[in-house]
Amino acid sequence: MDFVCMKDDLVFGVKLASYALGTRSSMPILSGLRMDIEQNRLRLYTTDLERAVRCEIPVDNRAGDETVVLNGAVLSQIAAHLPEDDRISLKTDAADGTAVKLRCGEALFDLPTLPVEDYPEIAALPPTRIATLNVDQFHHGLEQTIFATLKASETTRLALTGVDIVLKNNSAKMVSTNGYRLALKTIAAAEIVEENEFLIEAGILTDLDRVLSQIGSATVDIYQGSGQLFFQTGGVTFVAKTIAEEFPDFDQVIPKENTLALAFDRLALLSTLQRIEITAAKESGAITLRATQEESAVRINSSSKDKGEAEERVRVKAVPTGAIEIVFKAGYLIDALKRMNSAEITLWLSTAQKAGLIEPSGGVIDPLDEGVLYVCMPVRISD
Amino acid sequence: MNEPASKIKIKIKIAHLDMDAFFAAVEQLDEPSYRKKPVIVGGLGPRGVVSTASYEARSYGVGSAMPMARAKKLCPNGIYLAPRFSRYKEISAQVCKVITEYTPLVETVSIDEAFFDLTGSERVFGPAEEIIVRVKDRISKAIGLTCSVGLAPNRFLAKLASELEKPDGLVIITEERVQEVLDPLPVRMIWGVGRVTERRLSSLGISTIRDLRTATLDFLVREFGASGRTLHRLARGEDDTLVQLASEPKSISREETFPQDLYRREEIESVVRRLAHETATQLRWEKLLGKTVRIKVRFSDFQTITRQVSLGERTDSGKLIEAYALDLLRQRVPLARQGVRLIGVGVSRLSNATVRQLSLFDDEEEEAALEQAIDRLSARYGTGVVRRGQGQEGGVKSDE
């Protein structure tokens, strides 16, 4: 191996590839970044078996085609600290091929290689494209759903660690839940070729989102492989493992007959909730909302033995059409309000034991809030 | 007295009360036709184990932890019953109420056993020696059950005293008599001396507490490490652990040791399911919710694995606890070629059940009504009378 390439190209490629670098000590080979030289292209590849990144950069190849695997973390650090120069060269140590010399400006690194034969096989891009999404919208969808999942390290219920993506009727529905609250976002798809549904772990989607934001393309193509989805754009492929679990039937838990509407100024409600949460009981985070037909305000209060109590009135747009007293975990409402952008939101309620629904409302809905919906179950207090 | 006046020693009076053949005695209490007959309470399934045998049954050689099948061979005419925990708890609470009239310092060790500190009660109620007679008397008259009580200067000796004259025993060990009582007893009467330690002591020529007392501290520490120090102290009747006040339970769990190791996954899973539901039943009984589910698996070589997971929100749903317990078993416990000798399921991070985050996908109302109906039937007819079908998988997703 012997090639020269633009420093910026390699830095960019290594950075993207680093999102899929393995860290598990049980498979040290996955900490490697694989480089395939084929004529005048260098393909960079990383995987931790849950996700993979593949990208290509142009090079000036001065020898034959070859594959090497280098320590990815070391390469990432080098890429972040290269000296001023616009070119970089990599050359196999002629003696036995177990080391690579990387040169940039006056800096010279001697890097040991990892055994290529140990590196897992690279899955080829499947032939069928099933959809194309708008990157910007996809990004907002992820932002408004990922937060409602459970961390994979904290649960055994895999379905609750992911965002369910339903490609249907020319739109992509993204749904997530931890079993007590649910976030839903519907975005218009650029194109749906084949209707389908996939569940992908939130951590993987976060990495996908970061990779997409670095590339800056307007759209991303989605291909379906076996047990994985391929997201391709601008010569970069991100492979995401899908979760082979059934996602709960979310449509059935979205309230459709909540008639008591409480329209709030989003930021006013958010800051009230953050204050009232201070004195909520630690275990439940429970805060009580009280609405009557007497005033166009909702009283929110909380109390706990050790922290004290707090109460506050928050204005609602209109006098409620009914009275209710309902308890929620403050954090669940705060999570949702923080991820919305519109000036006004409406909390739709029915009874104290049934789910509440939050959606942006008012004359002007922020474009970022198009198709967003949040469902939250209340807390029940009994004697 | 050699003590200087400023160091007058308060005489500590700790009592230990142990209900005699508790489960069986309650059954005999509630059903007069069982009285004076061999009653055996325990698991009635093919792998059931005896929980408690009445004294009549013990004369046939039936003892607790014995496989039911063996008990039935020894005592074919016995009355075999499934335990009714909720009833035992009721009685246990009544016993506890009697004790708390004399002292607030009560440590309930288990459903049929408690320590209580009478040191401060003497000024109000008279000598501790008389209080324990009154306690025994009231339990016998008001509840209709017998118990064995020990009174001594510390917990270790009190427990030992209560064991000396079972059933219906009353043994007082005064400070002066400690060595006289302890010396002739076999070493296994000491706290923490199980079969393994007993065998090792015996191989060192130590079989009575006197033998142990005369061994030097150096020798015991060399042979047993830190626990050698404890043995040295206990052999002298020294124990300074305090009566632990009743506090909120930190966890609730159920475990079961099998007379024969289990190998088949279905069998192991079915035990996990059952223990999960029993744990949930107890949670509901105590009006608590738990946030962490834990399973414990002990293999035939005694290697023990515990795995736990957080539920996100607290629950007392048997369905949910079962689902998580099975997840832990399937995802985090390697069931290799080894047999399983013990399985436990428990929940911790408990809180009061009055505040409950409702779930989106499980119909809590329906679920709670169903599980409470099971609780009521179990309370009346014994656990295991009603059980969920095993086809049901809990949680919000299917497990396969």
Side-chain angles (χ1 to χ4, degrees):
Chain A
M1 185 175 80
D2 183 4
F3 69 82
V4 176
C5 67
M6 301 303 289
K7 184 180 88 177
D8 289 350
D9 287 349
L10 189 75
V11 167
F12 182 66
V14 168
K15 186 167 185 194
L16 291 184
S18 69
Y19 286 108
L21 266 181
T23 49
R24 266 183 289 179
S25 53
S26 57
M27 282 191 77
I29 188 66
L30 298 183
S31 65
L33 187 153
R34 179 181 162 129
M35 295 179 154
D36 293 296
I37 293 277
E38 228 180 282
Q39 294 179 349
N40 282 327
R41 285 175 309 162
L42 167 66
R43 195 167 62 198
L44 302 172
Y45 183 84
T46 52
T47 181
D48 65 356
L49 304 182
E50 308 261 296
R51 69 207 81 187
V53 170
R54 183 168 50 198
C55 58
E56 277 182 9
I57 59 170
V59 295
D60 177 8
N61 191 4
R62 293 164 178 182
D65 296 350
E66 201 184 337
T67 297
V68 295
V69 180
L70 296 175
N71 181 316
V74 171
L75 212 55
S76 295
Q77 274 181 292
I78 293 172
H81 293 96
L82 285 171
E84 292 281 330
D85 200 338
D86 53 0
R87 273 158 209 282
I88 191 165
S89 76
L90 266 87
K91 192 175 176 182
T92 321
D93 206 324
D96 56 357
T98 56
V100 165
K101 282 193 191 307
L102 181 151
R103 191 187 289 277
C104 180
E106 293 298 314
L108 175 68
F109 287 91
D110 246 328
L111 304 171
T113 61
L114 297 169
V116 176
E117 60 277 14
D118 289 355
Y119 205 86
E121 217 171 296
I122 300 174
L125 188 72
T128 37
R129 179 176 62 93
I130 56 168
T132 298
L133 298 181
N134 175 304
V135 169
D136 236 23
Q137 292 202 33
F138 186 49
H139 163 74
H140 295 305
L142 292 174
E143 213 171 48
Q144 289 175 320
T145 50
I146 283 177
F147 75 94
T149 59
L150 288 178
K151 281 201 180 68
S153 57
E154 290 170 358
T155 187
T156 52
R157 311 259 87 180
L158 299 179
L160 306 184
T161 65
V163 175
D164 195 47
I165 302 173
V166 186
L167 304 170
K168 202 176 171 186
N169 296 337
N170 244 18
S171 71
K173 247 187 200 153
M174 304 160 75
V175 202
S176 62
T177 179
N178 70 350
Y180 304 95
R181 49 92 177 269
L182 176 143
L184 173 90
K185 169 90 171 183
T186 310
I187 59 171
E191 189 185 4
I192 301 277
V193 183
E194 197 185 297
E195 296 194 340
N196 216 324
E197 181 173 350
F198 305 95
L199 181 57
I200 300 175
E201 197 255 310
I204 298 177
L205 288 172
T206 303
D207 287 333
L208 167 63
D209 192 27
R210 288 186 185 133
V211 167
L212 291 179
S213 74
Q214 315 250 339
I215 300 166
S217 311
T219 60
V220 57
D221 294 332
I222 304 178
Y223 296 77
Q224 183 185 355
S226 113
Q228 48 195 12
L229 280 191
F230 292 69
F231 295 83
Q232 195 183 46
T233 186
V236 180
T237 310
F238 186 101
V239 188
K241 187 179 153 197
T242 53
I243 299 174
E245 296 275 346
E246 205 176 313
F247 195 74
D249 183 1
F250 62 87
D251 202 44
Q252 155 216 303
V253 300
I254 297 172
K256 282 146 192 108
E257 282 156 6
N258 286 10
T259 50
L260 178 58
L262 303 171
F264 295 92
D265 178 287
R266 181 178 61 87
L267 291 174
L269 177 60
L270 176 59
S271 71
T272 300
L273 288 171
Q274 285 169 329
R275 274 188 296 277
I276 303 297
E277 190 190 25
I278 296 170
T279 55
K282 194 172 146 248
E283 314 85 59
S284 62
I287 52 113
T288 308
L289 274 76
R290 218 173 274 115
T292 63
Q293 284 168 277
E294 271 116 57
E295 58 174 351
S296 58
V298 169
R299 285 167 194 271
I300 304 181
N301 75 290
S302 73
S303 70
S304 60
K305 262 185 239 148
D306 47 339
K307 292 191 280 189
E309 7 190 317
E311 194 191 30
E312 193 168 330
R313 267 176 41 168
V314 195
R315 252 179 48 77
V316 286
K317 230 177 162 189
V319 177
T321 55
I324 194 167
E325 184 173 327
I326 188 167
V327 183
F328 285 107
K329 178 178 194 144
Y332 285 166
L333 301 184
I334 291 169
D335 279 352
L337 295 177
K338 272 186 179 167
R339 273 134 187 125
M340 292 186 184
N341 305 276
S342 303
E344 186 192 301
I345 60 99
T346 297
L347 171 62
W348 294 87
L349 300 173
S350 64
T351 71
Q353 311 286 321
K354 295 242 168 79
L357 184 145
I358 299 178
E359 61 181 6
S361 60
V364 192
I365 292 173
D366 192 293
L368 300 181
D369 282 356
E370 291 287 349
V372 75
L373 200 77
Y374 186 76
V375 180
C376 184
M377 283 302 284
V379 170
R380 187 177 66 199
I381 312 267
S382 54
D383 317 308
Chain B
M1 296 281 133
N2 299 332
E3 302 276 348
S6 62
K7 282 176 103 186
I8 289 174
K9 234 171 138 188
I10 295 171
K11 282 210 165 159
I12 307 279
K13 300 280 176 71
I14 308 284
H16 178 258
L17 182 148
D18 195 357
M19 299 303 293
D20 298 325
F22 186 50
F23 295 180
V26 173
E27 299 302 336
Q28 289 175 322
L29 175 73
D30 288 353
E31 180 50 65
S33 68
Y34 293 165
R35 293 180 194 165
K36 310 261 184 231
K37 289 188 184 146
V39 170
I40 296 111
V41 179
L44 298 184
R47 284 178 166 270
V49 180
V50 175
S51 301
T52 313
S54 71
Y55 283 90
E56 295 83 0
R58 290 183 197 188
S59 66
Y60 288 85
V62 177
S64 44
M66 174 183 284
M68 259 316 176
R70 179 132 178 266
K72 282 183 180 163
K73 257 185 220 141
L74 290 169
C75 183
N77 299 322
I79 296 159
Y80 290 87
L81 303 168
R84 297 179 301 153
F85 289 108
S86 49
R87 175 65 178 144
Y88 307 150
K89 288 207 152 197
E90 245 172 60
I91 306 253
S92 178
Q94 290 172 21
V95 170
C96 204
K97 202 160 164 264
V98 172
I99 300 172
T100 49
E101 285 182 30
Y102 298 96
T103 173
L105 304 176
V106 184
E107 173 188 354
T108 34
V109 182
S110 65
I111 196 163
D112 60 351
E113 201 187 329
F115 286 102
F116 46 107
D117 187 334
L118 294 173
T119 313
S121 309
E122 296 195 304
R123 281 204 325 210
V124 186
F125 298 101
E129 293 75 9
E130 286 170 25
I131 298 175
I132 55 170
V133 174
R134 265 180 277 162
V135 167
K136 257 180 79 72
D137 198 46
R138 288 185 53 189
I139 290 171
S140 154
K141 292 216 174 86
I143 303 172
L145 293 176
T146 65
C147 58
S148 297
V149 184
L151 182 72
N154 61 46
R155 279 167 92 248
F156 161 60
L157 292 171
K159 165 130 177 139
L160 187 134
S162 74
E163 283 167 9
L164 291 178
E165 287 180 16
K166 274 183 131 319
D168 205 15
L170 195 156
V171 174
I172 296 164
I173 302 180
T174 57
E175 222 147 326
E176 299 73 36
R177 280 186 63 221
V178 170
Q179 226 51 69
E180 179 192 327
V181 175
L182 286 184
D183 273 357
L185 296 174
V187 285
R188 69 165 172 280
M189 294 294 285
I190 288 183
W191 252 346
V193 175
R195 268 180 313 182
V196 177
T197 314
E198 189 185 6
R199 230 177 290 144
R200 277 199 56 202
L201 283 167
S202 150
S203 74
L204 297 166
I206 296 171
S207 58
T208 65
I209 297 183
R210 179 185 291 108
D211 299 338
L212 189 62
R213 181 167 59 87
T214 49
T216 66
L217 177 60
D218 280 354
F219 172 76
L220 291 174
V221 169
R222 200 163 56 239
E223 291 293 329
F224 296 94
S227 50
R229 208 172 289 279
T230 312
L231 287 173
H232 186 259
R233 280 193 306 110
L234 292 179
R236 282 162 183 69
E238 292 166 15
D239 168 37
D240 53 10
T241 57
L242 298 172
V243 169
Q244 305 283 309
L245 287 196
S247 57
E248 292 289 309
K250 290 196 171 60
S251 71
I252 281 181
S253 59
R254 281 258 179 275
E255 54 180 61
E256 192 168 317
T257 306
F258 311 108
Q260 273 137 27
D261 293 351
L262 303 189
Y263 286 88
R264 287 175 49 226
R265 176 170 280 277
E266 311 88 85
E267 266 184 312
I268 295 165
E269 290 194 355
S270 104
V271 173
V272 168
R273 284 174 208 272
R274 179 163 48 77
L275 295 177
H277 282 281
E278 285 178 19
T279 303
T281 301
Q282 198 182 337
L283 274 176
R284 290 193 294 272
W285 184 260
E286 308 210 3
K287 296 201 164 31
L288 293 169
L289 303 175
K291 195 173 185 179
T292 301
V293 171
R294 179 181 69 228
I295 68 165
K296 175 159 130 189
V297 178
R298 178 167 298 149
F299 295 101
S300 33
D301 65 354
F302 277 86
Q303 184 212 344
T304 307
I305 289 182
T306 57
R307 294 287 181 268
Q308 62 174 45
V309 64
S310 166
L311 270 60
E313 298 289 349
R314 290 170 166 83
T315 193
D316 60 5
S317 151
K319 202 172 135 189
L320 218 53
I321 294 168
E322 171 192 315
Y324 277 90
L326 283 176
D327 277 350
L328 287 172
L329 181 76
R330 291 170 184 169
Q331 297 173 18
R332 303 195 188 161
V333 179
L335 291 178
R337 298 159 299 278
Q338 280 230 58
V340 169
R341 56 174 293 124
L342 174 149
I343 294 176
V345 174
V347 291
S348 55
R349 291 171 74 195
L350 304 177
S351 70
N352 202 306
T354 51
V355 181
R356 177 195 301 264
Q357 169 67 52
L358 299 178
S359 149
L360 269 172
F361 302 98
D362 302 308
D363 190 332
E364 305 254 347
E365 298 292 330
E366 199 181 306
E367 183 66 21
L370 173 63
E371 296 196 345
Q372 273 157 25
I374 294 177
D375 290 352
R376 278 196 298 277
L377 289 169
S378 302
R380 194 169 313 158
Y381 302 108
T383 45
V385 169
V386 197
R387 201 167 284 158
R388 279 161 175 288
Q390 291 212 335
Q392 298 205 22
E393 291 284 336
V396 291
K397 62 149 181 95
S398 72
D399 275 277
E400 302 309 327

